[in-house]
Amino acid sequence: MGDTDRVGEVGEVGGRRAGGLGVVVVEAYAELARRVLAGPARLGRTRLVAVDGPSGAGKSRFAAHLADALAALLGGDRPPVVHTDDLLDGWDDQVTFWPRLDEGVLAPLREGKSGAYRRYSWVRQRFLARPVLVPVAPVLVVEGVSAARAAVRPELTLAVFVTAPASLRLARAVARDGPEILPELRRWHAGERAHFAADDTAARVDLLVDGAPTLPYDADRYYVRIR
């Protein structure tokens, strides 16, 4: 990205985004990381960041880049990232997994204690025996569908929603997991739409991110904000 595309670490460049022509805003993960660390800790001593959005939108990539930027500011200590897909008891547990996350991870952190969860193996179709520890840290990133749901909003330091066109999201998922998942995936997408409509998630987050921008930029250091 050239110097004309940013001022400090935030720039506005003309381009196309969801909803038509307009001005898109390219922002640095480093700046967002500073914003998170300057924000209040509302989950015990931990700043909770939720990265929500439909499957295939780019949530995992966004969460990873933000965690890297936070690590750079925390002396190399990368904050834990919990992927909600690891907590689901199969396809039918799309949004009902939440008590598992709350009881194992969030509740202990509220008390200033480390949490833990068991990761679900989508190959073995069961939870693995070995727990994944989630230490008390300045920041915890939770990534996945419904991560920014209404129940947790009072404890969030930052809520992010990553979006992308449905056709592209479907193509990404099939490329990653194979065409045999299409029946389950279509049912999953319907469940996502129902949840996001009922929860009004996209309208209530702090940051709406374009997970499929068309303009050229350094995707490792920057993201494209819609709102």
Side-chain angles (χ1 to χ4, degrees), residues 1 5 7 12 20 25 30 39 65 67 86 133 199 201-202 212:
M1 178 186 296
D5 292 340
V7 178
E12 294 189 358
V25 182
H65 288 320
D86 290 339
L133 299 180
D199 190 72
T201 316

Side-chain angles (χ1 to χ4, degrees), residues 26 51 102 104 110 119 137 153 156 227:
V26 180
V51 181
D102 190 68
R110 289 188 191 104
R119 180 179 288 118
R153 283 176 196 147
L156 293 176
R227 188 194 75 232

Side-chain angles (χ1 to χ4, degrees), residues 52-124:
D52 206 332
S55 61
K59 300 183 301 298
S60 297
R61 182 173 63 251
F62 183 95
H65 288 320
L66 178 57
D68 290 341
L70 285 162
L73 298 177
L74 293 169
D77 293 330
R78 197 172 192 270
V81 179
V82 174
H83 302 281
T84 63
D85 281 358
D86 290 339
L87 291 155
L88 308 185
D89 189 5
W91 289 98
D92 293 330
D93 199 21
Q94 186 175 24
V95 296
T96 50
F97 70 91
W98 195 262
R100 200 172 296 118
L101 172 66
D102 190 68
E103 293 166 12
V105 177
L106 303 183
L109 290 178
R110 289 188 191 104
E111 304 298 323
K113 303 174 183 177
S114 296
Y117 64 93
R118 290 190 299 137
R119 180 179 288 118
Y120 183 79
S121 169
W122 290 82
V123 174
R124 301 177 186 179

Side-chain angles (χ1 to χ4, degrees), residues 7 24 31 43 71 81 84-85 92 99 104 111 116 122 157 160 164 167 172-173 191 193-194 200 204 216 218 226:
V7 178
V24 296
E31 184 62 30
L43 184 71
V81 179
T84 63
D85 281 358
D92 293 330
E111 304 298 323
W122 290 82
T157 299
V160 181
S167 58
R172 285 173 173 175
R193 290 192 296 272
D200 199 20
R204 297 182 179 275
D218 183 349
I226 299 173

